[in-house]
Amino acid sequence: MTKIFHMHRPSMNKQVLTSLFFIFTLQACGGSSSSTETVPKPDVVIEYSFSLSSQLTNRCGVSVPFADVELLLQDDNWQTVTSYQADESGVIAFTTLQDRINYTLVAKNQQGDEAQGLNVVSYYQAEMTTSAMYHAQFDQLIDDSSCECVTQDVELKHRPFALRSQVVSSLSYDGWHADDEQTTIFENVTACRVIDAEWPLHSFVVLGEDVNQQEIGAGEFLSDFSANVENIWSVPAFQVADNVELPASHQGFNITQLIQGIEHFSLAVTENDSQILLFNTHPYVSEAFYQSAASVTFQETSSIFGSTVIKSYHQVISPDYQQSFTVHANEQKPNIDDINFSEIKVGGSYDYSAVSGYPMAVISFTYATFDPQTQLSMPAKWTFYGPINGMLASSAPLTGYEEVINIDTDKKSTKVLLLQSSKSDNYSDYVDFYQNGDMSRTDTSFVGDLRQYEIEITLN
C-alpha cells in the first residue's frame, strides 16, 4: 500500500489515487455498512434540595418548632413562583433545578406587650444546599416550663477597694451596693438553667482603685445557682485583673470575653486610656475569645420630622487579646447622599456601589400598618439581604399579604447596613452565612474581622 503513494511513481493513475483516498476517508468517518450510528446522550437533570428549620427559643436555651412561617419562592423579579408552609416540626423542604434561589420568609411575630405582627425576611441568590435557619420571636408563645430560674443576691468578697468604678456581671441584676470595702452586693441576680441540667458559667467583677489610687480588679466565676435559705450566693473573688498596656494610638472601644457562648468581663476603654484591666489568667482563658468593638458617628440629626444616623463599626474577635486591640472603625464617611438618601429609588431599586469593598447590603424597613381583619395597628418589619446594588424584594407584591404591606404602606424607619468581612469579597459567601442563622460571635472564619457602615432614618 505504501508503494501506491511513493513519490517516485509518477505514472500512477490519478483516478485510482482519488478512489483509494475516498475509500479511506469513508472508513475513517464510519461510512462503512458495519459502523453503528452514535445516539446522543440525554442531558443530566440535577435537582437541588432546600431545607429550612424555624425555631422558637425560651429563656434557658431550649428550642421548639415554630410553624407560623411561610416561604415564598421567587423569580429574578421577586414575583412569587410558589409558596411553602412550615410543617408541624417547623421545617420547610423542597427541590428545584436551580442551585441558587430568591426567597422571602413571612413569619408571625410578637415582642413584649406589642400586638402580633409580621416579620418578613428576603434573601437574594441564596444557596439551595446551605442549611437555613429562622429564629422566631413570639414572646407570648414562649414556654419556659423546661427552665429552672432562681433570683437571689450575690455577695462578692474581694480585696479592699477605696473606689469602685465598674461593677459587672454576665447575668442581669437590679443594682448593687457596697457593704464595706471588701464586700460588694449584686442585687436580685436571676440565673436560669434547663431543669436537672448543669448551671451555666457566670462571672462577677469589681473594678476600681485601692488606697494608693492604683487601678485594681477582682472577680470570680460561679457555676452553681441553687437556691439556699440565706437567699444569697456568697462568692470569694480569687481572680485578679492584670494591667495590660494598650497600643499607643487607639480608638475608644468595648471589649468582652466570650466563654461557652456567654459574655464575661465587659469593659469600656476610652481613647485616652493607656492600660486596661484584663482578666487573662483565669481557669477558662484557654477557651476564651476576646471580642472588641469600636464605632465612629459621622452624622446624627434630629428634628420634628425625624432623625438620621450615619456611623461606622468594626468588630474583631480573637483568642489573642493583643489582636483584639487592633479594632479600629473606619473614620472616613461613606460615599452616600446624606441629604436625600437617594440610593434607594422609588421603584424599588437601590445602589450603594459608591461605597467600594462592601459586598452585602442589609436593608430593613419598619411599617405603620394595620391588621386587615381587625383594622387595628400592627407592627411589621421587612429585612432584605442582597448585593451592594440591585432590586429590593419589596419592589414586588408580597403574595398573600398585599393588604398588610404594599407600595403605599407608610414606612416608619429605614436602616441600611453595608457589610465587609476580611474573610471574603464574594457576595455569595455573605448570603450563605447569614441565611443559615449561624450568628455565633466566636465564628472567626467570617465575623472575626467585620466592618460595617450603618445608615438609619426614622420618621416621627
Side-chain angles (χ1 to χ4, degrees), residues 101-279:
I101 58 171
N102 299 338
Y103 71 90
T104 294
L105 298 174
V106 185
K108 292 183 179 180
N109 194 77
Q110 190 274 323
Q111 301 180 41
D113 297 327
E114 287 186 348
Q116 176 181 307
L118 288 181
N119 187 42
V120 184
V121 186
S122 298
Y123 298 95
Y124 175 79
Q125 290 296 283
E127 187 180 36
M128 279 287 292
T129 55
T130 296
S131 296
M133 178 71 71
Y134 176 71
H135 297 281
Q137 179 161 4
F138 207 113
D139 294 352
Q140 293 177 358
L141 294 180
I142 290 178
D143 181 6
D144 289 326
S145 61
S146 60
C147 302
E148 175 188 358
C149 295
V150 179
T151 300
Q152 295 188 165
D153 291 346
V154 169
E155 176 188 66
L156 188 66
K157 290 287 189 178
H158 48 70
R159 61 189 298 186
F161 278 80
L163 172 68
R164 293 169 176 84
S165 58
Q166 294 187 60
V167 176
V168 180
S169 175
S170 57
L171 280 171
S172 62
Y173 59 97
D174 290 345
W176 67 273
H177 67 269
D179 268 3
D180 54 50
E181 63 181 7
Q182 293 182 276
T183 308
T184 301
I185 305 297
F186 294 75
E187 301 166 352
N188 293 324
V189 177
T190 299
C192 294
R193 67 169 176 176
V194 178
I195 294 174
D196 295 331
E198 297 292 328
W199 289 100
L201 184 72
H202 288 286
S203 56
F204 302 88
V205 171
V206 175
L207 302 176
E209 295 180 357
D210 61 15
V211 293
N212 298 316
Q213 296 184 322
Q214 298 296 311
E215 292 187 347
I216 58 173
E220 194 52 75
F221 292 94
L222 184 61
S223 58
D224 186 356
F225 294 91
S226 302
N228 55 46
V229 294
E230 295 84 6
N231 199 38
I232 190 168
W233 294 296
S234 184
V235 184
F238 293 121
Q239 306 306 319
V240 177
D242 292 332
N243 277 293
V244 176
E245 293 289 330
L246 289 166
S249 177
H250 63 83
Q251 293 176 336
F253 63 93
N254 294 316
I255 184 170
T256 190
Q257 292 184 43
L258 305 175
I259 305 170
Q260 299 176 12
I262 296 175
E263 295 183 357
H264 298 269
F265 313 126
S266 298
L267 306 174
V269 178
T270 72
E271 61 181 354
N272 296 320
D273 290 338
S274 60
Q275 294 182 325
I276 180 176
L277 286 170
L278 202 65
F279 292 87

